[in-house]
Every structure is written in structure tokens, then in C-alpha cells.
Amino acid sequence: MGNKQSHEGYAGGLADSPTKRLEKFTIFELRVLSYPKSNQLPQNVKAVFTEGHVEFWDMQLGKMFNAVSYYAVASWAHGNEAFNINIIGANDADSKGTFSFKTKKGEGKICAETISGYVNMILADKQYKENDAKMVAKEKKWDEVFSTPTKDNKKNKGLTETTSPLRRPMASPATEELDEFFNGIGSQAQVA
């Protein structure tokens, strides 16, 4: 299972790992076949896939025509020489749309793998943050359940503490009384 070339170019981990990091951007030259009505594009574009969205630029990368957040992408599909991005619009009038592109032979699959990699990076980061937040909440709960006297004292600042009568120091006998007891002075006086 996984990529046959799992270790190629990935010094920090396997290529099929969901937390792998792709380049900051990946560029493909695409021929536009169709687009959603509110997202006009010229006949040929360069699609620049970034960590958060895909941008559509002119062929010289001088003018950006549109950008689509990965959160607006419902799905994607590919063929040998085709790549589609299905989006969900912000309002009901624009609720759905499809960008359809013709690619160079074999690049449709690479486009799909690229968008999949970026989306999986976002999901892995989101899951990591959620797990981290859950762990912080658990640690807080553990602190409440397993609180130590030191932690209790910090919580009870400003309260008057009363020592239990069982914990109060007992009055000790005077040193002279102890000397008499251990040296037998008091017991000799009673015998005579």
C-alpha cells in the first residue's frame, strides 16, 4: 500500500503521510474548457496550487484572474488529459460550479494528487490543533481531579487556615523534668 516511491525527495517522512509538506506552490499550464458563470477565465491559464488555495493566472504570471480556496472545493476529478474542480459558491445562486481543464497527457492525475496533498495538509493541521486543544482540556481536568495540597493552597489564597487540634504541637516538659526522669533523680527520692 502507499506510494512505491515513498522515500524519494522526502527526507523528513514518507510521501504517503498525510502530514507531508509540499512545495509552497505548484504550477500547471491548463487549457480552460469551462468555468462557473461568475468565475470567467481566459482560454489558457497557469494554475498555481498553494497551501490554501488555487490561483488562475495568465501564461506570463503577470495577472491573476481568480483564486479558489480549498474550503470552497467540493471535489475534484481527473482523466488522462483532463482535470475538474467542483466548487460550492458562497450563496444559493452560485451554489455549484465546475472548472474543467484540458491538461498535457498524464498531468490530470498529477493535478489531482497535488490538490489532494494540499487538502490533506490542511486536514492534518486542523486535526493536530483539535487534538492539542483536547489534550489541554484533559490536562486541566486532570489537574482538578488530582490536585495536590500545594495546588490547593495556591487556589485558597486569602482564606484563613485553621490547624486541626490533632496536628497542634504538644507542650513539651521542661528540660529539667526530663533530666530528672532519665537520670532517675525523681524515682530515688520516692524510694527513700
Side-chain angles (χ1 to χ4, degrees):
M1 302 259 280
N3 290 335
K4 292 178 183 173
Q5 304 165 340
S6 290
H7 298 287
E8 281 188 25
Y10 297 97
L14 299 176
D16 53 359
S17 167
T19 58
K20 72 178 179 182
R21 292 294 180 217
L22 299 171
E23 298 294 325
K24 291 289 181 192
F25 60 89
T26 307
I27 300 175
F28 294 96
E29 291 183 7
L30 305 173
R31 184 167 167 240
V32 178
L33 300 176
S34 67
Y35 47 82
K37 59 184 171 186
S38 62
N39 296 281
Q40 294 185 353
L41 296 176
Q43 185 175 0
N44 294 306
V45 294
K46 284 194 177 180
V48 180
F49 292 88
T50 68
E51 291 182 347
H53 58 275
V54 59
E55 302 170 349
F56 300 107
W57 289 78
D58 66 6
M59 297 305 281
Q60 292 76 36
L61 294 173
K63 178 182 177 188
M64 184 174 70
F65 295 104
N66 199 350
V68 177
S69 168
Y70 295 136
Y71 290 100
V73 174
S75 63
W76 53 88
H78 72 88
N80 195 27
E81 293 181 9
F83 176 63
N84 292 348
I85 301 174
N86 298 313
I87 63 166
I88 300 170
N91 56 41
D92 291 336
D94 244 1
S95 64
K96 291 184 179 178
T98 302
F99 289 97
S100 295
F101 305 100
K102 181 172 175 51
T103 67
K104 294 178 183 173
K105 192 171 187 172
E107 279 196 358
K109 180 181 178 183
I110 298 170
C111 288
E113 289 173 347
T114 300
I115 194 170
S116 177
Y118 286 120
V119 168
N120 283 328
M121 284 176 17
I122 291 170
L123 292 174
D125 289 346
K126 184 176 178 183
Q127 185 177 18
Y128 177 80
K129 288 176 185 173
E130 287 172 356
N131 288 343
D132 194 39
K134 286 178 186 177
M135 185 56 72
V136 168
K138 276 186 181 181
E139 287 174 352
K140 185 177 179 181
K141 187 173 182 177
W142 293 339
D143 281 347
E144 291 172 5
V145 171
F146 299 110
S147 62
T148 62
T150 306
K151 289 182 182 174
D152 287 342
N153 288 342
K154 288 180 182 175
K155 289 180 189 174
N156 297 330
K157 274 189 172 176
L159 299 178
T160 304
E161 187 174 329
T162 304
T163 306
S164 165
L166 300 175
R167 297 284 180 196
R168 289 187 183 141
M170 299 288 290
S172 26
T175 308
E176 295 169 357
E177 292 174 354
L178 288 175
D179 286 343
E180 289 175 4
F181 176 77
F182 286 111
N183 292 331
I185 297 173
S187 58
Q188 289 175 356
Q190 291 176 353
V191 174

